[in-house]
Amino acid sequence: MPELPEVETVRRGLNKLVSGQKINAIQLNYQRMIKSDLSDFLAYLPGKTILTVSRRGKYLLFELGDKTLVSHLRMEGKYQLFPSEAVPDHKHFHAFFALSNGQTLVYQDVRKFGTMELVDQDKLLAFFRGKKIGPEPIASEFTLAPFQEKLVKSTKKIKPYLLDQTLVAGLGNIYVDEVLWLSKIHPSEIARNLSKQQIADLRQAIISVLDEGVKRGGSTIRSYKNALGMAGTMQDSLKVYAKKDQPCQRCGRPIEKYKLAGRGTHFCPHCQHLKKG
């Protein structure tokens, strides 16, 4: 699943490609991906200009003025741009936005898990508040005190808690493994067992790792490419994810993998101790 660095990289690519373009027409081949009123969706978009493409957590926001098209890529969603007269016939192409520059923005999704919905601009804040999405992982928004307050009260295991997006936006399986390794915290550790120093280290690791991921254009593992068709390079800098049986870069012991909350989880058993009790 694309995580924040991948989605931010897609956003930047889309912003270069489609900002300022008017949507002349839209075609949907898979209507179930639309989570707002379908007739309103189809009637509203033609004639609207994409003012900019922004992001909240893992959601892409096509800002159209009084409404915003909110797009979630889920596991396999991606956008591609083609000359309108040369759009390939592909069974996994599900939405087509014909643009005023003679090109067509195509949404592709092998698993059909991605979603789109129109949200009134003045209801966007409430929309994300309703989804309980935490702050963006930047120092000015992701402050230590609220993060610490939530963790010290929680009996949840730290990895699943970080994955649920309520503590901080944008983390997925790859980057959670990375930030827990960097902060020397076992993925199964109970949140309230973390010391104040561990919480501070974890916050800084989240900010640093996701920032590096954005700078490197995300991690290309399996099928990810950005909106410009380019692969990211963060996978070349991963310290623990997908490194099972390889030596830990910190202590040299073999990295181990186990299943936690249904997700493959990588950690160093020597560096990331699980506290008792």
Side-chain angles (χ1 to χ4, degrees):
M1 178 182 292
E3 303 181 35
L4 185 145
E6 290 77 47
V7 178
E8 172 61 17
T9 304
V10 170
R11 183 203 70 78
R12 293 180 181 186
L14 285 172
N15 223 24
K16 294 178 181 179
L17 296 171
V18 303
S19 286
Q21 296 302 314
K22 184 171 73 173
I23 301 171
N24 288 336
I26 179 172
Q27 176 187 332
L28 294 177
N29 288 354
Y30 185 66
Q31 297 180 349
R32 290 176 61 185
M33 74 171 64
I34 309 304
K35 299 305 177 184
S36 55
D37 184 82
L38 179 61
S39 59
D40 180 48
F41 189 93
L42 293 172
Y44 175 84
L45 287 172
K48 294 297 183 294
T49 296
I50 301 171
L51 303 178
T52 189
V53 184
S54 56
R55 179 190 55 76
R56 177 71 173 97
K58 300 179 186 180
Y59 290 84
L60 291 167
L61 309 179
F62 294 81
E63 298 184 17
L64 306 166
D66 59 335
K67 291 182 185 287
T68 295
L69 172 57
V70 180
S71 170
H72 199 306
L73 303 176
R74 300 294 178 187
M75 296 189 73
E76 294 283 350
K78 59 187 67 175
Y79 284 96
Q80 299 185 62
L81 198 65
F82 299 96
S84 293
E85 71 278 4
V87 177
D89 184 17
H90 196 298
K91 67 178 181 179
H92 297 307
F93 287 178
H94 304 308
F96 305 80
F97 302 86
L99 304 177
S100 53
N101 62 358
Q103 295 183 302
T104 294
L105 181 66
V106 177
Y107 177 73
Q108 175 183 348
D109 196 334
V110 173
R111 301 197 185 191
K112 298 182 178 179
F113 289 163
T115 62
M116 296 182 190
E117 51 197 305
L118 280 177
V119 179
D120 291 339
Q121 189 65 31
D122 59 358
K123 296 179 181 177
L124 202 57
L125 187 61
F127 173 84
F128 286 112
R129 189 182 297 121
K131 293 185 178 296
K132 299 182 179 179
I133 296 178
E136 291 292 309
I138 55 176
S140 60
E141 296 188 25
F142 180 36
T143 53
L144 180 58
F147 184 52
Q148 180 175 296
E149 183 179 356
K150 291 178 181 178
L151 290 179
V152 299
K153 295 177 180 178
S154 177
T155 59
K156 296 178 182 179
K157 294 179 179 179
I158 188 61
K159 177 173 178 176
Y161 200 5
L162 289 170
L163 285 173
D164 77 8
Q165 306 301 298
T166 60
L167 291 170
V168 60
L171 284 169
N173 200 44
I174 296 172
Y175 294 101
V176 168
D177 281 3
E178 290 296 303
V179 301
L180 291 174
W181 178 87
L182 186 59
S183 49
K184 300 182 181 180
I185 296 171
H186 194 285
S188 291
E189 189 60 78
I190 301 300
R192 69 181 183 187
N193 288 346
L194 298 177
S195 68
K196 289 184 179 180
Q197 186 59 55
Q198 284 180 306
I199 293 172
D201 291 345
L202 176 58
R203 171 185 170 271
Q204 188 55 53
I206 291 168
I207 293 170
S208 299
V209 169
L210 289 178
D211 180 63
E212 183 182 4
V214 169
K215 290 176 179 176
R216 290 180 173 269
S219 299
T220 297
I221 296 174
R222 293 183 294 275
S223 62
Y224 164 74
K225 287 188 178 180
N226 67 27
L228 300 172
M230 298 182 293
T233 63
M234 184 62 180
Q235 69 277 2
D236 299 330
S237 297
L238 297 178
K239 304 296 191 295
V240 64
Y241 182 84
K243 304 292 185 182
K244 181 184 176 183
D245 297 328
Q246 296 182 36
C248 171
Q249 294 187 27
R250 194 160 43 211
C251 72
R253 307 289 181 87
I255 296 297
E256 295 185 6
K257 180 181 180 182
Y258 71 111
K259 193 70 75 80
L260 175 59
R263 310 300 295 273
T265 298
H266 305 79
F267 77 109
C268 172
H270 179 72
C271 295
Q272 296 168 266
H273 293 292
L274 182 61
K275 296 180 181 178
K276 295 180 180 180

